[in-house]
Amino acid sequence: MSFGSSVPAMTRALPALQSLMRFGGRLTWPTEVLSILWVLVIIATTGLIVATIISCSTLWLDGYWRREFCLRNDCINEFAAGFSQAFVVLKATLDIVVAVATAGGIVVALLSYLSNVRVTALANHISHLNLFQQYVASEISKRDRLAQKSFDTHFFYNKIFSASRSGLTDVSFEYLQFVDKMNNLILFSNDQSVYAKGGSYRYKPHQERVCAHLRTVGIFINPAPRNDFYEIEGQIISLIQTINRSMCAVGEVPEFLDRRYI
């Protein structure tokens, strides 16, 4: 039997084998590659051993070892017929090795792609986080009642873009809830101050509610006299609204309500 039919398969498997050897462009081979190589070695070794046993049995039991050396056509045909099953085993072994190498190359290439995607997502996350922190620091410096130390920008960023490490910069549902609750706090105080709904408006309970809510996104402010607090609160709302408009998609985050209690 001839091995000619396996040559195209071997040619097709070469890129896969090269992929195995060049995984991630690294000199060290990952566990997945070593595992596939061990499988290939085991398959090839098993096939060779079986073929060798068949050949030796045929050579001894059929008396081929006692015959004279002959290159005539009938001699070669007889030899090929006598050792045909050994050739079948060798061809089957080669086919299995090529198939496993091809499948392994595809799997390793996929793992390499996924690894590169994760690395790219992390790099984008770090870049976006740095941009966010620089932008927030710049906006804070424009507001005289705010201090950089009052803002945990990393925590704030993770609240807004909770899936950033995965490469997604969509606004999180939790942050949208934060904005909605902030608007509810403003609306509640507006109703108290204008309609005395839920009791008359008092700025200290309002201040406590707002401070507690801002802490959930990493913004920490201390209690202050009425007018000072209103200025600080107004600048924080202005800052958050500016961040929402600049860093989030248009219309993705609701605007803050006007404060009618000041």
Side-chain angles (χ1 to χ4, degrees), residues 98-112:
V98 170
V100 172
T102 302
I106 294 172
V107 171
V108 170
L110 178 59
L111 292 175
S112 178

Side-chain angles (χ1 to χ4, degrees), residues 58-59 64 67 73-84 87:
T58 301
L59 187 67
Y64 281 94
R67 301 184 184 183
N73 189 61
D74 57 332
C75 294
I76 294 175
N77 288 335
E78 183 182 355
F79 179 84
F83 290 87
S84 61
F87 294 145

Side-chain angles (χ1 to χ4, degrees), residues 10-96:
M10 294 178 63
T11 304
R12 291 193 299 270
L14 284 178
L17 292 172
Q18 292 170 352
S19 176
L20 290 174
M21 299 174 64
R22 295 199 308 266
F23 182 86
R26 293 177 291 183
L27 295 177
T28 57
W29 290 1
T31 305
E32 296 85 354
V33 177
L34 294 177
S35 299
I36 294 172
L37 290 178
W38 272 114
V39 171
L40 294 177
V41 169
I42 291 172
I43 293 173
T45 302
T46 302
L48 287 174
I49 291 174
V50 172
T52 301
I53 292 174
I54 294 174
S55 299
C56 291
S57 299
T58 301
L59 187 67
W60 180 261
L61 295 176
D62 291 352
Y64 281 94
W65 62 278
R66 292 194 300 265
R67 301 184 184 183
E68 296 180 359
F69 182 74
C70 174
L71 291 178
R72 294 198 313 272
N73 189 61
D74 57 332
C75 294
I76 294 175
N77 288 335
E78 183 182 355
F79 179 84
F83 290 87
S84 61
Q85 296 308 306
F87 294 145
V88 168
V89 171
L90 289 175
K91 183 180 182 303
T93 300
L94 181 60
D95 290 341
I96 294 173

Side-chain angles (χ1 to χ4, degrees), residues 175-193:
Y175 183 69
L176 293 176
Q177 286 184 315
F178 162 80
V179 175
D180 286 340
K181 185 174 180 180
M182 189 69 185
N183 274 332
N184 289 336
L185 293 178
I186 295 173
L187 181 62
F188 179 74
S189 294
N190 284 345
D191 289 343
Q192 280 191 324
S193 64

Side-chain angles (χ1 to χ4, degrees), residues 122-227:
L122 180 59
N124 291 339
H125 163 73
I126 294 173
S127 176
H128 196 240
L129 172 60
N130 289 336
L131 174 64
F132 178 85
Q133 291 177 321
Q134 293 171 7
Y135 180 77
V136 172
S138 174
E139 289 298 320
I140 291 174
S141 66
K142 298 176 184 178
R143 294 165 171 82
D144 60 341
R145 302 308 301 265
L146 304 183
Q148 301 283 352
K149 64 181 180 181
S150 299
F151 293 81
D152 186 342
T153 53
H154 187 270
F155 186 79
F156 190 20
Y157 176 85
N158 286 330
K159 284 293 182 179
I160 302 176
F161 307 107
S162 59
S164 176
R165 287 182 178 272
S166 301
L168 301 176
T169 54
D170 298 331
V171 177
S172 69
F173 178 71
E174 184 180 3
Y175 183 69
L176 293 176
Q177 286 184 315
F178 162 80
V179 175
D180 286 340
K181 185 174 180 180
M182 189 69 185
N183 274 332
N184 289 336
L185 293 178
I186 295 173
L187 181 62
F188 179 74
S189 294
N190 284 345
D191 289 343
Q192 280 191 324
S193 64
V194 177
Y195 308 110
K197 185 177 179 180
S200 60
Y201 172 76
R202 291 182 297 168
Y203 95 90
K204 283 191 175 180
H206 166 81
Q207 180 176 238
E208 292 173 358
R209 291 192 295 268
V210 170
C211 289
H213 187 52
L214 291 175
R215 283 196 294 271
T216 63
V217 293
I219 301 175
F220 304 91
I221 56 176
N222 297 319
R226 179 192 296 262
N227 292 335

